[in-house]
Every structure is written in structure tokens, then in C-alpha cells.
Amino acid sequence: MRTCAGACLAFAVWPAAAQTPPFPKEVIESGHQYFEQKCAFCHGRDAGGGESGPDLTRSKIVADDVKGDKIGPLVRAGRTEKGMPAFSVSDMELAGLAAFLHTQKTIAESQKGGRRGVDVSDLQTGDAAAGKAYFNGAGTCSSCHSATGDLAGIANKYQGLKLEQQMLFPRDAVAKVTVHLKSGESMAGKLAYLDEFTVGLKDSDGHYHSWSTKQVSFTVDDPAAKHADLLAKYSDDDIHNLMAYLQTLH
Ligand code: HEC
Ligand code: HEC
């Protein structure tokens, strides 16, 4: 649950000169840290593509981006139907992310050949008992899920990468939003669009409505948002162990 009036989107930001190449080391490093925590599981540590996210060093969005103007809207809105979660990055975090991604792109382009990517067999290296302990303990998974309830048979429903993607970020979960208008009225529905400037919803008749984020306040209730928070907690071992455990749930 997160509440936002337009104002909470305004944060401190790096000076303009720090947001164009050559990027200062501390700007790149701030982006690198954020990326490792929230993005590397899917896009790979070097942004060169991972088990469930594309190679960002070859992304057109990154290529066209200047000072986060293309990366920002995408990261803040996500493409949830395609497995890319939405993140509420501050302007400062965004500037760091953009500097990091542009730098990784330059590095990748300077290295010829050398196919990167991950091996699907890497998904099979975990320890199921450790995964079970994590599921019921530090991972807090059992506070929402049960191995004999909603996740029973999950290994039959999805295999391999598909299972990992669904575990990292369940793409079918629908977020709800309530928008409070200045008139005192409010309107609720499925979250259909969200970036720094616009919030949009679909009402129960399937009609789309949108507002400027400066004109309204709104509350987003995303039942799977916890999954985006958890991304910052997992180690690679945790993920492989969880995968091994989930694969025993037939
Ligand atoms: C749970 C996995 C996951 C996480 C975590 C994730 N992404 Fe993504 N991301 C994806 C997927 C999948 C796509 C491709 C979506 C599509 O096919 O349109 C994507 C697409 C993108 C794109 C667009 C690439 C293009 O050219 O179309 C950018 C930029 C991006 N992600 C940046 C980030 C950043 C920055 C973070 C961290 C704040 C992040 N992603 C976290 C899965 C993820
Ligand atoms: C705060 C609640 C919450 C926590 C904690 C949580 N999840 Fe989820 N999870 C959800 C919601 C909501 C969904 C999407 C709705 C659904 O498919 O059940 C989901 C979906 C999933 C799915 C896909 C289920 C399917 O049938 O497609 C898997 C797998 C999963 N979670 C695994 C985990 C694991 C592993 C953990 C712990 C590391 C975890 N979840 C922690 C709420 C949570």
C-alpha cells in the first residue's frame, strides 16, 4: 500500500552536468547499487540480460534515453503484463540508474563477440530443503502462500524459466487503485497506467479514466507488490534454493 499526492514524487536530484556523459563515478555507483538490489535478478548483474529479463545494453529504450527520460517512465509504469514490475524510483535513483545503464551499454559495445546470457541448467542447482526453510522463514512466503494450498501443484503449472519468472514477479496479479478527486469524490478500479504525470484506471465497465497526478491523490493496492520488495532481499542462492523447492510441489 502506498499513498502519493503529486508532491511526494519530487526528490533531490544530481546536478544536470552529472547526468550526461562522462558520468561521475558516484552517480554510476549509486545506480549500480540500486540495480544490483532491484534489477539484477532479471536483467543480469551487468545488465547484459538474465534469466527472466532482456539485455538492457541492447535496448532501444536505453539507446534513446537522455537523462532518464525514456528509462524513467518505463521503470515507473513497468510492463506488468510482460513481467516487468513497476518501481517507484526517486529522481535521484533514476539519474543513477540511467548513468549505470548508459555506462554498461558503452562497456558492452566495446567488448566484441562473447555471447552472454545464463544457462537454464543453472536453475537446477539449488537445495530444496534450504528453499523450504527459506519459504517458511526468512523469505516470509508462507505468510501469503501455502505449499499444500494455493501453491500445491505449482510445478505442474509452470516449469523452468516460466516458474522462476512467476515466482519473482507474478504477472497476472492485478493492482487496484483508488483516486481521490479534489471535489471530494473518489473512484476505484484496476490500475491501468501510472507514471510521474498520469494515473489511469479501468472501471468495472472497462472504461479508461485518467488524471494528472498533480490534480489528485491516489492509493495503490498491489497484492503482489511484496514480490517487488522481496527482490531486494534474495541472494542468488535463495532463488536457486526456492526454485528447487517449488519444483518439488507437484
Ligand atoms: C522480475 C523481473 C524484472 C525486474 C526485477 C526488472 N525487470 Fe526490467 N524487464 C523485465 C522484462 C521481462 C522486460 C521485457 C518486457 C517486454 O517484453 O516488454 C523488461 C524490460 C525492461 C526495459 C525495457 C527494455 C526494452 O528496450 O524494451 C528496461 C529499460 C528495464 N526493464 C529496466 C529495468 C530496471 C532499471 C529495473 C530495476 C529497477 C528492472 N528493469 C527490473 C523484467 C524485469
Ligand atoms: C504479501 C503477500 C505475498 C508474499 C509475502 C509472497 N507472495 Fe507470492 N504472490 C502473492 C500474490 C498476491 C500473488 C499473485 C496472485 C496469485 O497468483 O496467487 C503471488 C504469486 C506467486 C506465485 C505464482 C503463483 C501462480 O499460481 O501463478 C509464486 C510461485 C509465488 N507467489 C511465490 C512466492 C514466494 C516463493 C515467496 C517468498 C519468497 C512469495 N511468493 C511471497 C503474494 C505474496
Side-chain angles (χ1 to χ4, degrees), residues 133-162:
Y134 188 79
F135 186 94
N136 292 312
T140 69
C141 319
S142 58
S143 64
C144 297
H145 298 293
S146 152
T148 51
D150 68 326
L151 293 186
I154 191 80
N156 306 328
K157 196 169 161 193
Y158 310 106
Q159 283 90 36
L161 273 182
K162 185 79 186 90

Side-chain angles (χ1 to χ4, degrees), residues 34-43 52-56 58-63 70-72 74-75 78-87 89 94 97-98 101 164-165 167-171 227-228 231:
Y34 189 88
F35 192 88
E36 282 240 335
Q37 280 198 347
K38 303 265 188 170
C39 325
F41 294 110
C42 295
H43 291 290
S52 47
D55 180 348
L56 296 179
R58 296 183 193 184
S59 151
K60 177 147 171 29
I61 289 191
V62 174
K70 302 283 188 303
I71 297 170
L74 183 122
V75 168
R79 278 189 201 147
T80 51
E81 75 294 350
K82 298 231 171 108
M84 166 72 202
F87 293 88
V89 290
L94 173 61
L97 273 175
L101 290 176
E164 189 189 69
Q165 283 169 358
M167 173 185 91
L168 288 177
F169 182 63
R171 62 179 71 186
H227 276 256
L231 292 173

